[in-house]
Amino acid sequence: MIRSPKILVCSGSVRSGSFNRSLAALAAKKLAILDAEVTVLSLKDYPLPVYDGDLEESQGVPENAKKLHRLFQGQDGAFLSCPEYNAGVTPLLKNTLDWISRVKEPGDAFRNKIFALGAASPGGFGGMRGLIGMRTILEVGLGVMVLPQMISVSRAAGAFDDKGDLVDERVAGQLDGLVDALLGATRTGMSR
């Protein structure tokens, strides 16, 4: 019997009322319905200092980075909901990935994992500029396999209903397609 894929879901924003937290919660719900073993991660639970090579040399890698490394390592894939700040990646998410990449424990937190990316933004671009930057960090910097399709939710202030579902059927269909692709790719990766 094949086990269910283990999928980590994380928002790059910890702000209460974050549209990206709403998108991450909806993705987690859809993944769980499709029989994934979902772990929802709040970066608020793993505070880290701003990455500094001198700090790393004098004090080592923070314990929270090691915990996150182990958490990512135990997954088959991840869904990251990536806010866009000033047309780029959020400092919180980038700093977290930088610290995790510095952990020298056995195993790899990123390689041989399948990642799906999404963003929700109050603007018309739907966080797409930040998604492009995140894709580069993950693929080029960390060696992650990122699915080609992404979800970009524009005008996010009115994009979710009272139940947390997407109002626009086209965008909802894009999320469904991305979740299906993530599960399919992780299952394929698990069978190798």
Side-chain angles (χ1 to χ4, degrees), residues 78-136:
F79 179 94
L80 298 182
S81 187
C82 310
E84 177 183 296
Y85 288 6
N86 298 317
V89 178
T90 64
L92 173 64
L93 191 50
K94 175 71 167 81
N95 188 61
T96 299
L97 296 173
D98 288 344
W99 270 119
I100 294 171
S101 75
R102 303 304 298 167
V103 175
K104 303 298 184 217
E105 294 178 1
D108 196 299
F110 302 113
R111 294 199 187 277
N112 302 316
K113 313 285 187 228
I114 310 295
F115 277 51
L117 300 179
S121 171
F125 291 119
M128 186 55 74
R129 296 170 297 189
L131 287 174
I132 292 167
M134 181 54 62
R135 176 179 288 285
T136 300

Short mmCIF file of all heavy atoms in Angstrom, two decimals, residues 78-136:
data_model
loop_
_atom_site.label_atom_id
_atom_site.label_comp_id
_atom_site.label_asym_id
_atom_site.label_seq_id
_atom_site.Cartn_x
_atom_site.Cartn_y
_atom_site.Cartn_z
N ALA A 78 6.04 20.65 -1.04
CA ALA A 78 5.60 21.82 -0.28
C ALA A 78 4.79 22.74 -1.17
O ALA A 78 5.00 22.80 -2.39
CB ALA A 78 6.80 22.57 0.29
N PHE A 79 3.86 23.44 -0.53
CA PHE A 79 3.13 24.53 -1.17
C PHE A 79 3.51 25.79 -0.42
O PHE A 79 3.28 25.88 0.79
CB PHE A 79 1.61 24.31 -1.09
CG PHE A 79 0.82 25.44 -1.71
CD1 PHE A 79 0.42 25.36 -3.03
CD2 PHE A 79 0.50 26.58 -0.99
CE1 PHE A 79 -0.30 26.39 -3.62
CE2 PHE A 79 -0.21 27.61 -1.57
CZ PHE A 79 -0.61 27.53 -2.89
N LEU A 80 4.14 26.74 -1.11
CA LEU A 80 4.52 28.00 -0.49
C LEU A 80 3.63 29.10 -1.04
O LEU A 80 3.53 29.28 -2.26
CB LEU A 80 5.98 28.35 -0.78
CG LEU A 80 7.05 27.39 -0.26
CD1 LEU A 80 8.44 27.93 -0.60
CD2 LEU A 80 6.91 27.17 1.23
N SER A 81 3.00 29.83 -0.14
CA SER A 81 2.22 31.00 -0.51
C SER A 81 3.09 32.21 -0.23
O SER A 81 3.42 32.50 0.91
CB SER A 81 0.93 31.04 0.32
OG SER A 81 0.09 32.07 -0.13
N CYS A 82 3.48 32.89 -1.30
CA CYS A 82 4.57 33.87 -1.24
C CYS A 82 4.08 35.30 -1.46
O CYS A 82 3.83 35.70 -2.60
CB CYS A 82 5.60 33.54 -2.31
SG CYS A 82 6.14 31.83 -2.33
N PRO A 83 3.98 36.08 -0.41
CA PRO A 83 3.61 37.48 -0.59
C PRO A 83 4.68 38.21 -1.40
O PRO A 83 5.83 37.79 -1.45
CB PRO A 83 3.57 38.04 0.84
CG PRO A 83 3.59 36.86 1.73
CD PRO A 83 4.21 35.74 0.98
N GLU A 84 4.26 39.29 -2.00
CA GLU A 84 5.19 40.13 -2.76
C GLU A 84 5.38 41.44 -2.02
O GLU A 84 4.41 42.12 -1.70
CB GLU A 84 4.60 40.40 -4.15
CG GLU A 84 5.44 41.31 -5.00
CD GLU A 84 4.78 41.61 -6.34
OE1 GLU A 84 4.60 40.66 -7.12
OE2 GLU A 84 4.43 42.77 -6.57
N TYR A 85 6.63 41.76 -1.71
CA TYR A 85 6.96 43.05 -1.08
C TYR A 85 7.82 43.83 -2.05
O TYR A 85 8.91 43.37 -2.42
CB TYR A 85 7.74 42.84 0.22
CG TYR A 85 6.96 42.31 1.39
CD1 TYR A 85 5.64 41.89 1.29
CD2 TYR A 85 7.56 42.20 2.63
CE1 TYR A 85 4.95 41.40 2.37
CE2 TYR A 85 6.87 41.70 3.73
CZ TYR A 85 5.58 41.29 3.59
OH TYR A 85 4.91 40.80 4.68
N ASN A 86 7.33 44.99 -2.47
CA ASN A 86 8.09 45.86 -3.37
C ASN A 86 8.61 45.10 -4.59
O ASN A 86 9.79 45.18 -4.93
CB ASN A 86 9.24 46.54 -2.62
CG ASN A 86 8.73 47.42 -1.51
OD1 ASN A 86 7.76 48.15 -1.68
ND2 ASN A 86 9.36 47.34 -0.35
N ALA A 87 7.74 44.33 -5.22
CA ALA A 87 8.03 43.56 -6.43
C ALA A 87 9.04 42.44 -6.20
O ALA A 87 9.68 41.97 -7.12
CB ALA A 87 8.50 44.47 -7.57
N GLY A 88 9.17 41.99 -4.96
CA GLY A 88 10.13 40.93 -4.67
C GLY A 88 9.64 39.98 -3.60
O GLY A 88 8.48 39.99 -3.19
N VAL A 89 10.56 39.16 -3.13
CA VAL A 89 10.31 38.12 -2.13
C VAL A 89 10.28 38.73 -0.74
O VAL A 89 11.04 39.65 -0.45
CB VAL A 89 11.42 37.05 -2.23
CG1 VAL A 89 11.25 35.98 -1.19
CG2 VAL A 89 11.45 36.45 -3.62
N THR A 90 9.46 38.19 0.14
CA THR A 90 9.41 38.71 1.51
C THR A 90 10.70 38.39 2.26
O THR A 90 11.26 37.30 2.12
CB THR A 90 8.24 38.11 2.32
OG1 THR A 90 8.44 36.72 2.47
CG2 THR A 90 6.92 38.40 1.67
N PRO A 91 11.18 39.34 3.05
CA PRO A 91 12.39 39.08 3.85
C PRO A 91 12.22 37.89 4.79
O PRO A 91 13.16 37.11 4.98
CB PRO A 91 12.58 40.37 4.65
CG PRO A 91 11.85 41.42 3.89
CD PRO A 91 10.70 40.72 3.21
N LEU A 92 11.04 37.70 5.35
CA LEU A 92 10.81 36.59 6.27
C LEU A 92 11.04 35.24 5.59
O LEU A 92 11.77 34.39 6.11
CB LEU A 92 9.37 36.65 6.82
CG LEU A 92 8.93 35.46 7.67
CD1 LEU A 92 9.74 35.37 8.96
CD2 LEU A 92 7.44 35.58 7.99
N LEU A 93 10.46 35.04 4.43
CA LEU A 93 10.59 33.78 3.74
C LEU A 93 12.02 33.57 3.22
O LEU A 93 12.60 32.49 3.37
CB LEU A 93 9.59 33.70 2.59
CG LEU A 93 9.40 32.35 1.91
CD1 LEU A 93 9.17 31.23 2.90
CD2 LEU A 93 8.26 32.43 0.91
N LYS A 94 12.61 34.59 2.66
CA LYS A 94 13.99 34.49 2.15
C LYS A 94 14.95 34.19 3.28
O LYS A 94 15.82 33.31 3.16
CB LYS A 94 14.37 35.80 1.45
CG LYS A 94 15.83 35.88 0.98
CD LYS A 94 16.09 34.97 -0.20
CE LYS A 94 17.42 35.25 -0.88
NZ LYS A 94 18.58 34.68 -0.25
N ASN A 95 14.84 34.88 4.40
CA ASN A 95 15.72 34.66 5.54
C ASN A 95 15.58 33.23 6.08
O ASN A 95 16.56 32.58 6.41
CB ASN A 95 15.40 35.68 6.64
CG ASN A 95 16.39 35.64 7.77
OD1 ASN A 95 17.58 35.86 7.58
ND2 ASN A 95 15.90 35.35 8.96
N THR A 96 14.34 32.75 6.13
CA THR A 96 14.11 31.38 6.60
C THR A 96 14.80 30.37 5.70
O THR A 96 15.49 29.46 6.18
CB THR A 96 12.59 31.10 6.66
OG1 THR A 96 11.98 32.01 7.58
CG2 THR A 96 12.31 29.67 7.09
N LEU A 97 14.64 30.52 4.40
CA LEU A 97 15.28 29.60 3.46
C LEU A 97 16.80 29.69 3.55
O LEU A 97 17.50 28.68 3.48
CB LEU A 97 14.80 29.88 2.04
CG LEU A 97 13.31 29.64 1.77
CD1 LEU A 97 12.93 30.12 0.39
CD2 LEU A 97 12.95 28.17 1.96
N ASP A 98 17.32 30.91 3.72
CA ASP A 98 18.77 31.08 3.85
C ASP A 98 19.31 30.33 5.06
O ASP A 98 20.32 29.63 4.97
CB ASP A 98 19.13 32.57 3.96
CG ASP A 98 18.97 33.32 2.65
OD1 ASP A 98 18.89 32.67 1.58
OD2 ASP A 98 18.92 34.56 2.69
N TRP A 99 18.63 30.46 6.20
CA TRP A 99 19.10 29.77 7.41
C TRP A 99 18.99 28.26 7.26
O TRP A 99 19.90 27.52 7.64
CB TRP A 99 18.32 30.24 8.64
CG TRP A 99 18.92 31.42 9.33
CD1 TRP A 99 18.35 32.65 9.52
CD2 TRP A 99 20.21 31.50 9.96
NE1 TRP A 99 19.20 33.47 10.21
CE2 TRP A 99 20.35 32.79 10.50
CE3 TRP A 99 21.27 30.60 10.11
CZ2 TRP A 99 21.50 33.21 11.18
CZ3 TRP A 99 22.42 31.00 10.78
CH2 TRP A 99 22.52 32.30 11.31
N ILE A 100 17.88 27.77 6.71
CA ILE A 100 17.72 26.32 6.53
C ILE A 100 18.85 25.78 5.65
O ILE A 100 19.39 24.71 5.92
CB ILE A 100 16.35 25.98 5.92
CG1 ILE A 100 15.22 26.34 6.90
CG2 ILE A 100 16.27 24.50 5.56
CD1 ILE A 100 13.83 26.23 6.30
N SER A 101 19.23 26.54 4.64
CA SER A 101 20.27 26.07 3.72
C SER A 101 21.64 25.97 4.40
O SER A 101 22.55 25.32 3.88
CB SER A 101 20.37 27.00 2.50
OG SER A 101 21.00 28.23 2.83
N ARG A 102 21.81 26.59 5.55
CA ARG A 102 23.09 26.57 6.27
C ARG A 102 23.23 25.38 7.22
O ARG A 102 24.30 25.13 7.76
CB ARG A 102 23.28 27.87 7.06
CG ARG A 102 23.21 29.14 6.22
CD ARG A 102 24.20 29.15 5.10
NE ARG A 102 25.56 29.11 5.63
CZ ARG A 102 26.64 28.86 4.92
NH1 ARG A 102 26.55 28.62 3.64
NH2 ARG A 102 27.82 28.84 5.50
N VAL A 103 22.17 24.63 7.42
CA VAL A 103 22.20 23.48 8.32
C VAL A 103 23.04 22.37 7.69
O VAL A 103 22.84 22.02 6.53
CB VAL A 103 20.77 22.97 8.63
CG1 VAL A 103 20.82 21.71 9.48
CG2 VAL A 103 19.97 24.07 9.33
N LYS A 104 23.96 21.84 8.45
CA LYS A 104 24.89 20.82 7.93
C LYS A 104 24.54 19.41 8.42
O LYS A 104 25.36 18.51 8.35
CB LYS A 104 26.33 21.15 8.36
CG LYS A 104 26.81 22.51 7.92
CD LYS A 104 26.84 22.63 6.41
CE LYS A 104 27.43 23.98 6.02
NZ LYS A 104 26.80 24.55 4.87
N GLU A 105 23.33 19.20 8.91
CA GLU A 105 22.91 17.88 9.36
C GLU A 105 22.74 16.96 8.16
O GLU A 105 22.53 17.43 7.04
CB GLU A 105 21.60 17.97 10.15
CG GLU A 105 21.75 18.72 11.45
CD GLU A 105 20.44 18.86 12.21
OE1 GLU A 105 19.40 18.36 11.73
OE2 GLU A 105 20.47 19.47 13.28
N PRO A 106 22.79 15.65 8.37
CA PRO A 106 22.57 14.72 7.26
C PRO A 106 21.19 14.93 6.62
O PRO A 106 20.25 15.32 7.28
CB PRO A 106 22.66 13.34 7.91
CG PRO A 106 23.38 13.56 9.20
CD PRO A 106 23.07 14.97 9.62
N GLY A 107 21.13 14.63 5.34
CA GLY A 107 19.87 14.79 4.62
C GLY A 107 19.77 16.17 4.02
O GLY A 107 20.52 17.07 4.38
N ASP A 108 18.88 16.31 3.10
CA ASP A 108 18.71 17.59 2.41
C ASP A 108 17.27 18.06 2.57
O ASP A 108 16.34 17.29 2.36
CB ASP A 108 19.06 17.44 0.93
CG ASP A 108 19.29 18.78 0.27
OD1 ASP A 108 18.35 19.60 0.24
OD2 ASP A 108 20.40 19.02 -0.23
N ALA A 109 17.13 19.30 2.91
CA ALA A 109 15.79 19.86 3.14
C ALA A 109 15.07 20.18 1.84
O ALA A 109 13.84 20.27 1.83
CB ALA A 109 15.90 21.12 3.99
N PHE A 110 15.81 20.34 0.74
CA PHE A 110 15.20 20.85 -0.48
C PHE A 110 15.30 19.92 -1.68
O PHE A 110 14.35 19.79 -2.44
CB PHE A 110 15.80 22.21 -0.84
CG PHE A 110 15.63 23.24 0.25
CD1 PHE A 110 16.73 23.73 0.94
CD2 PHE A 110 14.38 23.69 0.60
CE1 PHE A 110 16.57 24.66 1.95
CE2 PHE A 110 14.21 24.63 1.62
CZ PHE A 110 15.32 25.12 2.28
N ARG A 111 16.42 19.29 -1.88
CA ARG A 111 16.58 18.45 -3.08
C ARG A 111 15.63 17.25 -3.02
O ARG A 111 15.30 16.76 -1.97
CB ARG A 111 18.01 17.99 -3.22
CG ARG A 111 18.95 19.16 -3.48
CD ARG A 111 20.27 18.71 -4.06
NE ARG A 111 21.19 19.83 -4.14
CZ ARG A 111 21.21 20.71 -5.13
NH1 ARG A 111 20.37 20.59 -6.13
NH2 ARG A 111 22.08 21.70 -5.13
N ASN A 112 15.21 16.81 -4.20
CA ASN A 112 14.27 15.69 -4.33
C ASN A 112 12.90 15.99 -3.73
O ASN A 112 12.18 15.08 -3.35
CB ASN A 112 14.84 14.40 -3.74
CG ASN A 112 16.15 14.02 -4.40
OD1 ASN A 112 16.27 14.09 -5.61
ND2 ASN A 112 17.13 13.67 -3.60
N LYS A 113 12.57 17.26 -3.63
CA LYS A 113 11.24 17.69 -3.18
C LYS A 113 10.55 18.39 -4.35
O LYS A 113 11.20 18.99 -5.20
CB LYS A 113 11.32 18.68 -2.02
CG LYS A 113 12.24 18.30 -0.89
CD LYS A 113 11.67 17.22 -0.02
CE LYS A 113 12.56 17.00 1.18
NZ LYS A 113 12.86 15.63 1.43
N ILE A 114 9.24 18.35 -4.36
CA ILE A 114 8.44 19.04 -5.37
C ILE A 114 7.75 20.21 -4.68
O ILE A 114 7.07 20.02 -3.67
CB ILE A 114 7.37 18.12 -5.98
CG1 ILE A 114 7.96 16.79 -6.44
CG2 ILE A 114 6.64 18.84 -7.10
CD1 ILE A 114 8.94 16.86 -7.56
N PHE A 115 7.94 21.41 -5.21
CA PHE A 115 7.32 22.60 -4.63
C PHE A 115 6.31 23.19 -5.60
O PHE A 115 6.53 23.19 -6.81
CB PHE A 115 8.38 23.66 -4.34
CG PHE A 115 9.12 23.49 -3.04
CD1 PHE A 115 9.71 22.29 -2.70
CD2 PHE A 115 9.23 24.54 -2.15
CE1 PHE A 115 10.40 22.13 -1.51
CE2 PHE A 115 9.93 24.40 -0.95
CZ PHE A 115 10.51 23.19 -0.62
N ALA A 116 5.23 23.69 -5.04
CA ALA A 116 4.24 24.47 -5.78
C ALA A 116 4.21 25.86 -5.17
O ALA A 116 4.36 26.02 -3.95
CB ALA A 116 2.86 23.82 -5.68
N LEU A 117 4.04 26.86 -6.02
CA LEU A 117 4.05 28.25 -5.55
C LEU A 117 2.74 28.95 -5.86
O LEU A 117 2.14 28.75 -6.91
CB LEU A 117 5.19 29.02 -6.24
CG LEU A 117 6.61 28.51 -6.02
CD1 LEU A 117 7.60 29.37 -6.79
CD2 LEU A 117 6.94 28.49 -4.53
N GLY A 118 2.34 29.80 -4.93
CA GLY A 118 1.18 30.63 -5.11
C GLY A 118 1.39 31.97 -4.43
O GLY A 118 2.29 32.12 -3.60
N ALA A 119 0.56 32.92 -4.78
CA ALA A 119 0.61 34.24 -4.16
C ALA A 119 -0.76 34.87 -4.22
O ALA A 119 -1.55 34.61 -5.14
CB ALA A 119 1.63 35.14 -4.86
N ALA A 120 -1.04 35.71 -3.25
CA ALA A 120 -2.27 36.50 -3.22
C ALA A 120 -1.88 37.92 -2.87
O ALA A 120 -1.11 38.14 -1.95
CB ALA A 120 -3.24 35.94 -2.20
N SER A 121 -2.40 38.86 -3.63
CA SER A 121 -2.00 40.26 -3.45
C SER A 121 -3.20 41.17 -3.69
O SER A 121 -4.05 40.88 -4.54
CB SER A 121 -0.89 40.59 -4.45
OG SER A 121 -0.61 41.97 -4.46
N PRO A 122 -3.24 42.30 -2.98
CA PRO A 122 -4.34 43.23 -3.23
C PRO A 122 -4.23 43.91 -4.58
O PRO A 122 -5.22 44.43 -5.10
CB PRO A 122 -4.23 44.24 -2.08
CG PRO A 122 -2.85 44.12 -1.56
CD PRO A 122 -2.39 42.73 -1.87
N GLY A 123 -3.07 43.88 -5.20
CA GLY A 123 -2.86 44.54 -6.49
C GLY A 123 -3.29 43.68 -7.67
O GLY A 123 -3.71 42.53 -7.52
N GLY A 124 -3.13 44.25 -8.84
CA GLY A 124 -3.54 43.60 -10.07
C GLY A 124 -2.60 42.51 -10.55
O GLY A 124 -3.00 41.65 -11.34
N PHE A 125 -1.34 42.51 -10.11
CA PHE A 125 -0.39 41.50 -10.56
C PHE A 125 -0.49 40.20 -9.76
O PHE A 125 0.09 39.19 -10.12
CB PHE A 125 1.05 42.02 -10.49
CG PHE A 125 1.35 43.09 -11.49
CD1 PHE A 125 1.74 44.35 -11.07
CD2 PHE A 125 1.23 42.85 -12.85
CE1 PHE A 125 2.02 45.35 -11.99
CE2 PHE A 125 1.51 43.84 -13.78
CZ PHE A 125 1.90 45.10 -13.35
N GLY A 126 -1.17 40.22 -8.64
CA GLY A 126 -1.39 39.02 -7.86
C GLY A 126 -0.14 38.39 -7.28
O GLY A 126 -0.10 37.19 -7.04
N GLY A 127 0.89 39.20 -7.06
CA GLY A 127 2.12 38.68 -6.47
C GLY A 127 3.04 38.00 -7.46
O GLY A 127 4.03 37.37 -7.07
N MET A 128 2.77 38.10 -8.75
CA MET A 128 3.54 37.38 -9.76
C MET A 128 5.02 37.76 -9.75
O MET A 128 5.89 36.91 -9.94
CB MET A 128 2.94 37.63 -11.15
CG MET A 128 3.59 36.81 -12.25
SD MET A 128 3.61 35.01 -11.95
CE MET A 128 1.90 34.59 -12.24
N ARG A 129 5.33 39.02 -9.51
CA ARG A 129 6.75 39.43 -9.52
C ARG A 129 7.52 38.75 -8.39
O ARG A 129 8.67 38.33 -8.57
CB ARG A 129 6.85 40.95 -9.43
CG ARG A 129 6.25 41.64 -10.66
CD ARG A 129 6.12 43.11 -10.48
NE ARG A 129 5.20 43.40 -9.37
CZ ARG A 129 4.76 44.61 -9.07
NH1 ARG A 129 5.14 45.65 -9.76
NH2 ARG A 129 3.93 44.79 -8.06
N GLY A 130 6.90 38.60 -7.23
CA GLY A 130 7.54 37.90 -6.13
C GLY A 130 7.68 36.41 -6.41
O GLY A 130 8.67 35.78 -6.02
N LEU A 131 6.70 35.84 -7.10
CA LEU A 131 6.76 34.42 -7.44
C LEU A 131 7.93 34.11 -8.37
O LEU A 131 8.60 33.08 -8.23
CB LEU A 131 5.45 33.97 -8.10
CG LEU A 131 4.25 33.83 -7.18
CD1 LEU A 131 2.99 33.52 -8.00
CD2 LEU A 131 4.48 32.78 -6.13
N ILE A 132 8.20 35.02 -9.30
CA ILE A 132 9.32 34.81 -10.21
C ILE A 132 10.63 34.81 -9.42
O ILE A 132 11.49 33.95 -9.65
CB ILE A 132 9.31 35.90 -11.31
CG1 ILE A 132 8.10 35.69 -12.22
CG2 ILE A 132 10.61 35.88 -12.11
CD1 ILE A 132 7.79 36.84 -13.14
N GLY A 133 10.77 35.72 -8.48
CA GLY A 133 11.96 35.74 -7.63
C GLY A 133 12.09 34.50 -6.77
O GLY A 133 13.17 33.93 -6.61
N MET A 134 10.97 34.04 -6.21
CA MET A 134 11.01 32.85 -5.37
C MET A 134 11.38 31.61 -6.18
O MET A 134 12.13 30.75 -5.73
CB MET A 134 9.65 32.66 -4.67
CG MET A 134 9.60 31.44 -3.76
SD MET A 134 10.90 31.36 -2.49
CE MET A 134 10.55 32.83 -1.55
N ARG A 135 10.86 31.52 -7.39
CA ARG A 135 11.21 30.40 -8.27
C ARG A 135 12.71 30.36 -8.51
O ARG A 135 13.33 29.29 -8.44
CB ARG A 135 10.46 30.53 -9.60
CG ARG A 135 10.84 29.45 -10.60
CD ARG A 135 10.06 29.60 -11.91
NE ARG A 135 8.67 29.24 -11.77
CZ ARG A 135 8.23 27.98 -11.67
NH1 ARG A 135 9.08 26.99 -11.71
NH2 ARG A 135 6.95 27.73 -11.55
N THR A 136 13.32 31.49 -8.75
CA THR A 136 14.76 31.56 -8.98
C THR A 136 15.53 31.09 -7.74
O THR A 136 16.47 30.31 -7.84
CB THR A 136 15.19 32.99 -9.36
OG1 THR A 136 14.49 33.37 -10.56
CG2 THR A 136 16.68 33.08 -9.59
#
